[in-house]
Amino acid sequence: MKIHEYQAKELFKSCGVPVPRGEAADTAEKALTIAERLGYPCVIKAQVHAGGRGKAGGIQLVRNRSEAEKHIGRILGMTLVSHQTGPEGKLVRKLLVEKGLDIIKEFYLAIIIDREEEMPVIIASSQGGMEIESVARDHPQAIFKMHVHPVTGLSACHIRNLAFKLDLSKVQQQNFSNLLTNLYELFLKNDASLVEINPLIVTANDEVLALDAKINFDDNALYRHPDIAAWRDVYEEEPLEVEASKFELNYIRLDGNIGCMVNGAGLAMATMDIIKFYGGEPANFLDVGGATSVEKVKEAFNILLADKNVRAVFVNIFGGIVRTDLVANGIVYAAKGLDIKIPIVIRLVGTNEEEGMRILGESQLNFVTENVLADAVRRVVELAKGD
Amino acid sequence: MSILINQDSRVIVQGFTGREGTFHATQMIEYGTSIVGGITPNKGGQIHLDKPVFNTVEEAVKETAADVSVIFVPAPFAADAIIEAALAGIALIVCISEGIPVLDMVKVKHFLRSTSSRLIGPNCPGIISPGKCKVGIMPSRIHSPGKVGIISRSGTLTYVAVDQITRENLGQSTGIGIGGDPIIGTTFVEALQLFKDDEQTEAVVMIGEIGGTLEEEAAAYIGKNFNKPVVSFIAGQTAPPGRRMGHAGAIISGGCGTAAEKMAVLKKNGVHVVENPAEIGATVKKILG
């Protein structure tokens, strides 16, 4: 799960990771009041779940009241389009207003789980404020990594090593050490999957602060962090995906026109792949999961068909534990209640498949059934192309 | 021969009396797996499915000489269940549970290195040596004893491949679902090492997916050390970057872990990579003749 910068900074503050003075606002009036209180210069920052906000015009330094008014008005309510938002962009509903600081150095600092080493790794770079992927490509020598073994936890030597590589003065080292110690604890305590500060800054007074803040959390661990789960912002998510999540359906919307309903994540991915292999374009990833009920299948259909790009539907079920006759009942129930006008190709294989096929056949509904995977996909691709 | 499990495996079930545990233990017993008991704390002394229930794994091992455990407990308690099994000296721990926090698995994985236990999973369908023993949730019916080893990060997609192998009359030596999480017990490389020395296994089907570098590591190992034919399919060729595709481990980040990269490096190391998942069985058939 992702959260906003202003939320991440609240968490930073409560865990002893220094951030600039500032506050979030959802109206222009509130934002201006905050700016006036902080004093100028200050920074107006669009709050959306996407990087590249600066280049997209979503971050602005303002030096006085009239500049503040102008840019608060411009950024709040804008549709911010960056390389991470997709062409449709994201509506800015909130601003973070922060005190401007006298910056003398900028760094990059992050903690993630290294899947290869199977432990957290701290990544730091002397090239702050830039995209870390391009630093890694162009200046790999400017990136420093420090793995933290679960037995030792974060030790003084980890911090010392990074501080010397970043060429910090003695006072700066102490401030960096406090920040990193608290940041690492925050990472573990809250089951983060990523914390990223870009840039981490050193001020003229040798203070070390997080000028930006990004935290992603491990979805599997949200059950033990209800306070963080409550920070979820459904406005930042695709509406159909939010709807699907209510029914424990795993749905991701894509650009194509063939709606897919599959059981199992791996088979759902493979189904998208094979549709593409035969020249079609999948409209979505949809895993209905193991415990499929008639109701769940009906909801899945509702969500698939709510995507107006969908021209044909492909149901691909491999019944192992899932009984295909139950799925068939769900499809018939859904189709009768929904007045579906587009073709539906169904492949049911596995447990009780004869019964499943009989139910579909006797339904008097206009389904296309195919048993062979390749034939079924060819058929749905063809139907999606037809007028 | 098959690997890791066979007709002599003595299996216990952690989370025995729960809904999942009961359902799948019943299926395993029907398949012929020697389930020797199960664990549900505070239900020790009861009999469930005609087998003894114990309060702890240690007690179960002492009474039944079990050497394999299969875990069905809910995710918040699953890491603890793995640790308990390892402490009791279980040689093979198969964790079916889905949704274990990654930081729990970090601790478990490093702890296991100090024990002699092997973990399969979590978030996996388990392991089966057809005709001998099934420890997991895969549908029995589609399997048949034979000469193809299966290693997969997926569940239902594995069943599709197994079904094709069975229809080609090749059968499987052992099928292992290694799990869809970012941190898992047994990797592709470790499973390949076992298949390498198994006489029954003449070819291996490897089903990978986007995310992580397990397939790349497997490719390097195969190139240097593995002389049986390997057929591979990588799911997620069309997945958008940055999105979690159902499995917690299936996410492409920063251009790393794409299907295209994985397929290229596998091909370079002599693996038969199929782009179409409908052709897995036929490809193995063609190679083995």
Side-chain angles (χ1 to χ4, degrees), chain A residues 2 113-120 133 149-151 187-189 191-192 218-221 223-224 241 250-254 263-274 276-278 282 285 287 318-321 347 349-351 353 373-374, chain B residues 23-24 76 99-104 106-107 109-110 113 137 139 141-142 153-154 156-157 159-160 163 167 181-184 209-213 217 233-240 243-251 254 275-279:
Chain A
K2 293 177 179 176
I113 303 282
D114 182 335
R115 290 168 64 159
E116 276 174 74
E117 299 293 328
E118 301 173 321
M119 62 179 85
E133 288 83 2
H149 194 284
V151 171
F187 180 88
L188 293 186
K189 199 175 74 185
D191 282 288
D218 178 1
D219 291 338
N220 286 349
Y223 73 88
R224 55 190 179 200
E241 292 176 15
N250 217 325
Y251 171 87
I252 293 173
R253 192 171 177 179
L254 304 166
N263 66 326
L267 186 58
M269 272 190 276
T271 301
M272 289 161 46
D273 294 344
I274 192 170
K276 200 126 178 170
F277 183 84
Y278 285 110
F285 167 96
D287 170 14
F318 196 97
I321 303 312
R347 175 175 181 261
V349 177
T351 311
E353 65 178 63
L373 180 55
Chain B
F23 177 79
H24 292 295
I100 304 179
V102 178
L103 284 171
D104 289 5
V106 168
K107 284 185 212 157
K109 194 69 199 285
H110 289 277
R113 297 214 168 102
I137 62 172
R141 201 175 42 79
I142 57 169
R153 275 170 74 185
S154 166
T156 44
L157 178 56
Y159 310 156
V160 169
D163 191 46
R167 284 169 200 269
D181 275 2
I183 295 183
I184 53 173
E209 63 189 30
I210 52 167
T213 53
E217 289 160 29
F233 173 75
I234 305 294
Q237 297 165 46
T238 52
R243 301 301 307 268
R244 164 180 157 146
M245 304 301 283
H247 289 158
I251 187 163
E275 279 175 49
N276 180 347
E279 287 169 3

Side-chain angles (χ1 to χ4, degrees), chain A residues 267 274 318 347 373-374, chain B residues 142 157-172 205 274 276-285:
Chain A
L267 186 58
I274 192 170
F318 196 97
R347 175 175 181 261
L373 180 55
Chain B
I142 57 169
L157 178 56
T158 317
Y159 310 156
V160 169
V162 164
D163 191 46
Q164 291 173 20
I165 305 274
T166 293
R167 284 169 200 269
E168 297 286 355
N169 292 316
L170 296 165
Q172 304 85 33
V205 167
V274 295
N276 180 347
E279 287 169 3
I280 297 170
T283 307
V284 181
K285 179 78 177 179

